[in-house]
Amino acid sequence: MPELPECEANRRRIEDACLNRTIEAVELGEVRHMDLPGGNAQGRLVGHQFTETRRHGKAIFAGTKSGPWIVVHLGMTGSLRPYDGEDAPDYAKVTIRFEGERRLAFRCPRKLGTVSVIDDPEAYVSEAGLGPDAMQVDADRFVEIMGRSRGAAKSALMAQTKIAGVGNLWSDETLYRAGVYPEARASELGEKMLRTLHAEMRHVLGHLLEANADYSRIPEDWLFPSRDEGEACPRCGGTITKSKVGGRTAYFCADHQKTA
Ligand SMILES: [Zn+2]
């Protein structure tokens, strides 16, 4: 499921290929059971251009200062695909047709993604109750937010209302690097460990942003290449284990992630 770095890679595609082109039409593919813009919302985009893009956590925005904007949630499997001409990707649920040949498709095989038309990204973030973006939040604020989270550290990291952008995969990686047991209570970790957790979260996300979310560039000593039950921990040789934490499957090293 796309998290902050994957969403950022999708945002960059709009930034690189879709700015400053007049929108001529918005076409919908097979959209049953999906939250996609209705007729009025589609009409609001026609005649406008995207002049900038933004991202907050996993929400991707494209629009103009005075609006309108689109906000895209990729869901489980969604992606944004700029292309030229008629060479549309399969599972295109929304296609924005710009002047000339350029198109932007929202591809979404599993239908859990959404595209909406909104007036203002800041108002949207506030109304959605999203926490600060995981790459924007500083250590002090991170300690404050996590320090009052009574639930499991993994669940707190993944709660978009606390910190926006981290999901299942990169919360596991962050906890792995910090040596924190996924079920440890965030509020009991203490300030020093929370600062370590913040630094490791930034390290993980920062590396992936630098690599434009290309998983082939993930170092061998990360959990990711060994993220399977019974694998040997690249760090300590311990055993990679899985368990359910807050309804999600956590992978962790049973040996060096001992904080409880
Ligand atoms: Zn280990």
Side-chain angles (χ1 to χ4, degrees):
M1 180 165 180
E3 302 179 31
L4 185 152
E6 295 80 8
C7 293
E8 179 66 10
N10 278 271
R11 182 198 67 78
R12 287 171 184 163
R13 283 189 217 133
I14 309 182
E15 180 81 25
D16 292 345
C18 301
L19 295 191
N20 305 311
R21 296 163 186 268
T22 301
I23 296 168
E24 291 188 335
V26 179
E27 294 156 357
L28 298 188
E30 198 263 295
V31 294
R32 277 181 307 147
H33 312 302
M34 285 191 77
D35 179 15
L36 294 169
N40 281 345
Q42 292 164 41
R44 285 186 61 198
L45 294 173
V46 172
H48 289 269
Q49 299 187 344
F50 297 146
T51 57
E52 58 181 298
T53 61
R54 295 185 200 168
R55 184 194 49 71
H56 185 103
K58 303 179 192 173
I60 303 164
F61 303 95
T64 53
K65 278 210 167 45
S66 55
W69 292 76
I70 56 167
V71 55
V72 180
H73 285 277
L74 298 176
M76 294 290 282
T77 54
S79 60
L80 290 160
R81 305 289 182 89
Y83 66 98
D84 284 323
E86 303 303 318
D87 200 13
D90 56 358
Y91 301 107
K93 304 301 182 188
V94 181
T95 303
I96 297 176
R97 194 147 58 78
F98 299 95
E99 59 186 319
E101 293 287 290
R102 189 58 46 87
R103 312 278 184 267
L104 174 64
F106 174 56
R107 182 179 186 275
C108 194
R110 284 181 61 184
K111 302 184 182 175
L112 295 168
T114 63
V115 178
S116 313
V117 180
I118 60 165
D119 293 322
D120 176 51
E122 277 174 35
Y124 176 87
V125 166
S126 161
E127 281 161 26
L130 297 177
D133 181 81
M135 281 306 280
Q136 301 296 325
V137 66
D138 66 19
D140 289 345
R141 182 104 174 86
F142 182 88
V143 169
E144 185 193 324
I145 293 169
M146 297 293 282
R148 54 168 195 251
S149 302
R150 293 208 187 89
K154 179 176 172 66
S155 305
L157 274 176
M158 289 178 59
Q160 302 302 300
T161 51
K162 297 182 193 297
I163 308 283
V166 177
N168 199 31
L169 207 49
W170 307 131
S171 62
D172 275 0
E173 197 70 47
T174 298
L175 294 163
Y176 173 84
R177 295 185 62 88
V180 171
Y181 182 59
E183 286 187 78
R185 279 173 184 255
S187 58
E188 291 173 5
L189 288 177
E191 180 173 347
K192 187 156 175 274
M193 182 51 86
L194 287 175
R195 286 186 183 276
T196 300
L197 204 57
H198 176 256
E200 296 297 0
M201 177 183 76
R202 286 189 64 85
H203 179 90
V204 167
L205 299 177
H207 180 94
L208 289 157
L209 286 170
E210 183 81 25
N212 206 27
D214 175 355
Y215 293 175
S216 72
R217 291 169 61 187
I218 290 179
E220 282 296 305
D221 65 348
W222 280 31
L223 172 63
F224 181 82
S226 305
R227 196 173 177 275
D228 206 357
E229 206 168 20
E231 286 283 316
C233 169
R235 176 168 293 196
C236 75
T239 308
I240 303 302
T241 308
K242 72 173 178 180
S243 74
K244 286 273 181 201
V245 181
R248 303 301 298 272
T249 303
Y251 287 86
F252 61 101
C253 171
D255 293 78
H256 85 261
Q257 288 177 253
K258 288 221 181 262
T259 332

